[in-house]
Amino acid sequence: MQDIYVYFENGLFLKGKSFGADGTHIGEVVFNTSMTGYQEIITDPSYAGQFIVFSMPEIGIVGSNTDDMESKKAFCKGLITRHYNKSYSNFRSQESLAKFLKSQNILGITHIDTRSLIKTIRNNGSMMMIASTSICTSKDLKRQLSQSKQIQEINLIPEVSTKTNYVHQNSVFDFNNFKYGSPPKITKKIIAVDFGAKRNILNELVAVGLEPEVIPHNFQANTIVQKYKSGEIKGVFLSNGPGDPLMLKDEVTQIKLLIEAKIPIFGICLGHQLLSIAHGYKTHKLKFGHHGGNHPVKNLQTHTIQITSQNHNYSIPEEIEQIAQITHRNLFDGTIEGIKYKNSPIFSVQYHPEASPGPKESANLFKQFADML
């Protein structure tokens, strides 16, 4: 493994070892607290433009395989770990994590004190960083980083969204037989707007009897409204995705038209945030966001606690309570995790009920959407 040099916008300069692609990448650094599922995390499109610091110190043990891909490719800039395991051992493995990262042009950085780095991010908040296998001085790295855009200035959605319409037909992965399960009888067709949708979200929609037609982010609401009025579709799903939702002005304009048409809508993560903005309530950025598979969320309707998978840097404001019922709250920081709009057939959650990786105990929300339709 060759040397790799890392510089953060707060002035921190580190030297590690590279086990992924060569080159120089710039992005925002966040930390993830999940203990398993590194390939699903790396291939989550919501990490586009970001470096992922794993709190789990050992990475690479189970290699990688095509079944654990959550999108067609990986969109993150790189990953940072305490120790990379060159030797991998799992009967599902097809290649090493290092080989996978190189094929995806993603930096792999190891021999870093991730405990100290995560404390720095926790105290200073998410920040921009640069990592390079060819630039070795802090001065040169700082200069190149200072000339780059902040992540909130970059529209990442066109990169991760589908370019053409398609119908998703796979159901959830059957871990008993290690293959995708047969989809149940389709009862209702829906539109799924792809802002960077994870594959398992679409799988979960199919698993409850829905047939999602996946469409690009730059959709025209009038076409969807016509399909809804004709009975061709029964509702709309708004997916997760990367970046600052306030940048997506055209998408918000189209979502407003869907709201006005009283179409049933379910939103997850970015979709949840865009629905808030479309209703007139702007999002704000959290200090270091929620990234991991161990976040406790309270269901305020059932008074039960769910352990959830999360990946977001933004949150909707408390003022939305004027038009929506708050249904879920994060027990770490009290932020809103779910709402149901009072005068519309619309509900949304900030966390990821489809998991992959993470707990599956919130998957009933997909059935809730199907029942509402």
Side-chain angles (χ1 to χ4, degrees), residues 187-348:
T187 58
K188 302 176 183 70
K189 294 184 178 182
I190 65 168
I191 292 292
V193 183
D194 179 14
F195 300 115
K198 288 175 62 182
R199 182 168 65 176
N200 204 50
I201 286 179
L202 302 176
N203 293 345
E204 292 282 2
L205 290 169
V206 173
V208 293
L210 302 178
E211 183 180 80
E213 180 185 354
V214 186
I215 66 171
H217 69 101
N218 54 347
F219 68 97
Q220 294 299 310
N222 289 336
T223 302
I224 297 176
V225 172
Q226 290 172 7
K227 288 185 175 182
Y228 176 69
K229 288 183 176 180
S230 69
E232 182 179 345
I233 64 165
K234 298 298 183 182
V236 172
F237 170 76
L238 304 179
S239 84
N240 62 296
D244 187 345
L246 291 174
M247 288 199 69
L248 307 180
K249 293 181 172 55
D250 292 341
E251 289 83 351
V252 167
T253 297
Q254 298 304 313
I255 291 172
K256 286 180 179 178
L257 297 176
L258 299 180
I259 295 170
E260 291 171 3
K262 299 292 185 181
I263 297 176
I265 303 175
F266 176 32
I268 288 177
C269 203
L270 181 65
H272 165 81
Q273 298 160 9
L274 292 174
L275 281 167
S276 175
I277 297 169
H279 279 90
Y281 295 85
K282 293 184 177 180
T283 53
H284 61 275
K285 190 170 186 179
L286 299 171
K287 186 175 181 180
F288 46 79
H290 300 160
H291 310 275
N294 58 354
H295 288 251
V297 167
K298 184 173 184 179
N299 185 324
L300 302 181
Q301 297 174 307
T302 63
H303 302 287
T304 56
I305 309 299
Q306 300 166 335
I307 304 302
T308 67
S309 177
Q310 305 212 10
N311 180 20
H312 63 98
N313 274 12
Y314 296 85
S315 182
I316 66 174
E318 292 292 330
E319 291 77 17
I320 202 166
E321 196 168 15
Q322 299 174 33
I323 62 166
Q325 175 189 3
I326 299 174
T327 57
H328 299 78
R329 280 199 181 274
N330 190 297
L331 295 184
F332 279 156
D333 60 10
T335 52
I336 296 172
E337 291 285 358
I339 57 174
K340 184 179 185 301
Y341 289 88
K342 295 178 180 178
N343 298 316
S344 303
I346 300 172
F347 73 100
S348 61

